[in-house]
């Protein structure tokens, strides 16, 4: 893909381009904790968006998407482009200018190998790649955390997605052999070791679209806020579920709906599971880490109720295979992927077992995506 991007740039705009990459991400544990100001544990992966870019002497930017095979001209001070892929580039440039940068016109060609529709954050990878590239070629001086916020605000203000910051943060801060324990309240982070020798990380994409995800996301968020409001009547200084302990929740359980209690219980327990999982990683204990992944899926399925039949089926099959250390749904829910930590010697047989059993049950095979934890945004040439 890198070579293809460079060759396409030379064909369209001549030589002299700089080449950058920014990866997609997986989240090992910590789901629906971000908007409750808890912890997440993402890692950058070895699938990325690649951007070739060079300033031009004209009055507009010239952009080409390799994946869509489309070319447009764009004035970053003019109307927002109609093409959604161009809106990400337009948004990043405008968010940079809001922060005092001067973005002169440029030529850009981009494309990637982040699987689309699997919840691996190709959009955040694009925002991060564009931001990192423009920051470098124009020597703008933004730090990686600022670039993550620029990407997040691009989603909010130009694409219409009210996302958290995890995806952009992982794409920019990722390191090979490490996952990122990110505190979503303070944005403090710690690189935790993740190099499970003799194991592989693989995703099984159910190909089920998240038809309920956006509406149910708002419901879950409101339920969590309702639980916080009950506790706040008795305990001062409580701003989110991050501030609520299980003892507090249990003390005032009688004042909230049972479903609200279960939603809040899941979030509090998931934050603790993540911290316990990180402690296991620091000891090189991937068996315990896998057990925490399993616990995460159980909580998401039973207490938070954001799973679906296909995700539960994949997790259940994984539990019966002694070569699988852990398996859980990943992402917002109601479809998408499971993420699995599998011993290398059991890997081939497990993939065959999953494909056979899933196709027998649901009439189609899941998409199999093997990933390796890799480095974040960087310059290639």
């Amino acid at each position: 893909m890198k070579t293809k991007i460079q060759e396409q740039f030379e064909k369209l705009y001549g030589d002299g381009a700089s080449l950058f990459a920014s990866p997609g991400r997986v989240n090992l544990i910590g789901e629906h904790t971000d908007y409750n100001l808890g912890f997440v544990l993402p890692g950058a992966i070895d699938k990325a968006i690649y951007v070739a870019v060079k300033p031009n002497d004209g009055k507009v930017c010239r952009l080409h998407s390799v994946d869509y095979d489309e070319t447009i001209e764009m004035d970053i001070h003019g109307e927002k482009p109609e093409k959604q892929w161009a809106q990400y580039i337009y948004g990043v440039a405008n968010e940079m200018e809001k922060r005092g940068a001067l973005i002169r016109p440029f030529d850009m060609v981009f494309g990637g190998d982040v699987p689309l529709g699997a919840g691996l954050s190709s959009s955040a990878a694009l925002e991060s790649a564009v931001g990192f590239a423009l920051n470098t070629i124009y020597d703008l001086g933004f730090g990686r955390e600022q670039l993550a916020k620029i990407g997040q605000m691009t989603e909010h203000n130009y694409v219409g997605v009210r996302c958290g910051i995890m995806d952009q943060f992982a794409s920019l801060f990722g390191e090979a052999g490490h996952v990122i324990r990110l505190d979503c309240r303070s944005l403090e982070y710690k690189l935790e070791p993740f190099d499970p020798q003799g194991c592989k990380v693989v995703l099984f994409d159910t190909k089920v679209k998240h038809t309920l995800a956006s509406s149910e996301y708002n419901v879950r968020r409101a339920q969590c806020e309702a639980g916080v409001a009950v506790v706040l009547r008795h305990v001062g200084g409580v701003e989110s579920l991050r501030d609520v302990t299980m003892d507090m929740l249990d003390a005032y359980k009688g004042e909230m709906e049972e479903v609200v209690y279960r939603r809040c219980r899941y979030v509090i327990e998931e934050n603790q599971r993540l911290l316990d999982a990180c402690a296991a990683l620091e000891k090189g204990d991937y068996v315990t880490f896998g057990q925490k992944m399993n616990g995460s899926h159980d909580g998401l399925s039973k207490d938070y109720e954001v799973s679906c039949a296909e995700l539960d089926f994949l997790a259940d099959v994984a539990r019966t295979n002694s070569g699988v250390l852990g398996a859980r749904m990943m992402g917002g829910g109601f479809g998408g992927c499971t993420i699995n930590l599998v011993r290398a010697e059991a890997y081939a047989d497990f993939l065959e077992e999953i494909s056979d059993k899933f196709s027998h049950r649901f009439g189609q095979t899941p998409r199999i995506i093997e990933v390796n934890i890799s480095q974040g945004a960087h310059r290639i040439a």
Side-chain angles (χ1 to χ4, degrees), residues 269-380:
E269 289 180 345
E270 182 79 342
N271 278 321
Q272 188 58 51
R273 260 193 297 272
L274 186 146
L275 296 175
D276 293 343
C278 289
L281 288 181
E282 290 167 13
K283 298 174 187 170
D285 181 359
Y286 289 92
V287 172
T288 297
F289 184 85
Q291 291 169 352
K292 299 302 175 185
M293 291 176 69
N294 291 341
S296 175
H297 184 84
D298 289 343
L300 286 161
S301 179
K302 297 180 176 67
D303 276 350
Y304 221 64
E305 295 181 286
V306 291
S307 189
C308 65
E310 292 85 351
L311 290 169
D312 286 343
F313 183 85
L314 288 170
D316 288 344
V317 172
R319 300 273 176 97
T320 65
N321 190 311
S322 61
V324 180
L325 297 182
R328 60 180 284 273
M329 60 158 278
M330 185 184 81
F334 306 103
C337 290
T338 61
I339 182 167
N340 305 261
L341 185 60
V342 188
R343 295 190 192 279
E345 64 269 19
Y347 186 71
D349 289 343
F350 177 55
L351 263 54
E352 185 176 343
E353 178 190 13
I354 283 285
S355 295
D356 288 348
K357 289 183 176 178
F358 192 88
S359 61
H360 181 74
R361 174 70 174 79
F362 296 105
Q364 63 174 337
T365 55
R367 178 165 53 158
I368 297 169
I369 306 168
E370 185 179 327
V371 297
N372 295 292
I373 302 301
S374 189
Q375 72 182 114
H378 61 284
R379 184 174 191 159
I380 298 172

Side-chain angles (χ1 to χ4, degrees), residues 2-277:
K2 290 179 279 190
T3 304
K4 187 175 182 181
I5 300 294
Q6 288 173 306
E7 289 175 349
Q8 188 66 37
F9 190 97
E10 289 177 10
K11 179 180 171 184
L12 291 172
Y13 309 123
D15 57 13
S18 299
L19 185 65
F20 301 86
S22 199
R25 66 99 190 96
V26 291
N27 189 32
L28 276 298
I29 192 170
E31 220 67 75
H32 288 277
T33 46
D34 55 349
Y35 54 84
N36 288 297
L37 304 187
F39 297 97
V40 290
L41 193 69
I45 59 173
D46 55 345
K47 292 167 175 57
I49 298 292
Y50 301 93
V51 167
V53 63
K54 180 185 176 183
N56 69 40
D57 295 325
K59 295 184 177 180
V60 296
C61 299
R62 299 183 295 182
L63 312 175
H64 178 77
S65 166
V66 170
D67 297 327
Y68 290 100
D69 192 24
E70 292 175 344
T71 304
I72 69 164
E73 291 188 348
M74 178 187 78
D75 179 356
I76 62 172
H77 302 119
E79 293 285 317
K80 184 173 77 170
E82 291 184 12
K83 300 286 185 187
Q84 188 176 42
W85 60 262
Q87 292 171 7
Y88 293 102
I89 302 169
Y90 176 87
V92 168
N94 275 275
E95 286 295 324
M96 286 179 151
E97 291 213 325
K98 282 183 187 177
R99 291 160 174 77
L102 175 63
I103 309 293
R104 299 189 305 279
F106 54 85
D107 297 330
M108 179 178 287
V109 173
F110 76 94
D113 55 11
V114 182
L116 300 178
L120 299 179
S121 298
S122 57
S123 60
L126 174 58
E127 293 149 7
S128 301
V130 171
F132 193 86
L134 296 179
N135 189 51
T136 303
I137 66 166
Y138 292 129
D139 194 22
L140 301 177
F142 292 115
R144 288 181 186 250
E145 184 176 317
Q146 289 173 295
L147 292 175
K149 289 177 180 175
I150 285 167
Q152 182 190 26
M153 289 301 105
T154 295
E155 296 271 8
H156 288 202
N157 297 332
Y158 302 90
V159 187
V161 177
R162 304 288 297 178
C163 66
I165 203 169
M166 174 181 76
D167 298 347
Q168 293 83 0
F169 206 94
S171 190
L172 285 153
F173 282 88
E175 285 192 17
H178 295 82
V179 287
I180 305 165
R181 187 180 83 186
L182 174 63
D183 182 333
C184 295
R185 178 166 61 184
S186 67
L187 293 189
E188 292 176 344
Y189 73 97
K190 181 181 179 184
L191 292 171
E192 298 283 5
F194 189 83
D195 189 19
Q197 297 294 320
C199 291
K200 291 177 178 286
V201 177
V202 63
L203 308 177
F204 297 122
D205 181 5
T206 63
K207 302 179 188 173
V208 174
K209 296 304 175 192
H210 313 64
T211 51
L212 292 170
S214 56
S215 58
E216 288 295 323
Y217 170 90
N218 293 330
V219 172
R220 296 300 179 282
R221 193 161 186 160
Q223 289 167 333
C224 292
E225 290 167 354
V228 169
V230 169
V231 176
L232 182 58
R233 291 203 291 264
H234 303 275
V235 182
V238 172
E239 295 179 358
S240 70
L241 283 176
R242 175 67 178 279
D243 304 313
V244 178
T245 65
M246 275 308 303
D247 285 345
M248 288 181 202
L249 193 70
D250 287 339
Y252 309 114
K253 177 181 178 180
E255 296 178 38
M256 60 185 75
E257 293 179 40
E258 191 268 340
V259 68
V260 167
Y261 171 80
R262 285 193 291 113
R263 303 296 191 248
C264 295
R265 178 175 66 188
Y266 160 74
V267 173
I268 295 168
E269 289 180 345
E270 182 79 342
N271 278 321
Q272 188 58 51
R273 260 193 297 272
L274 186 146
L275 296 175
D276 293 343

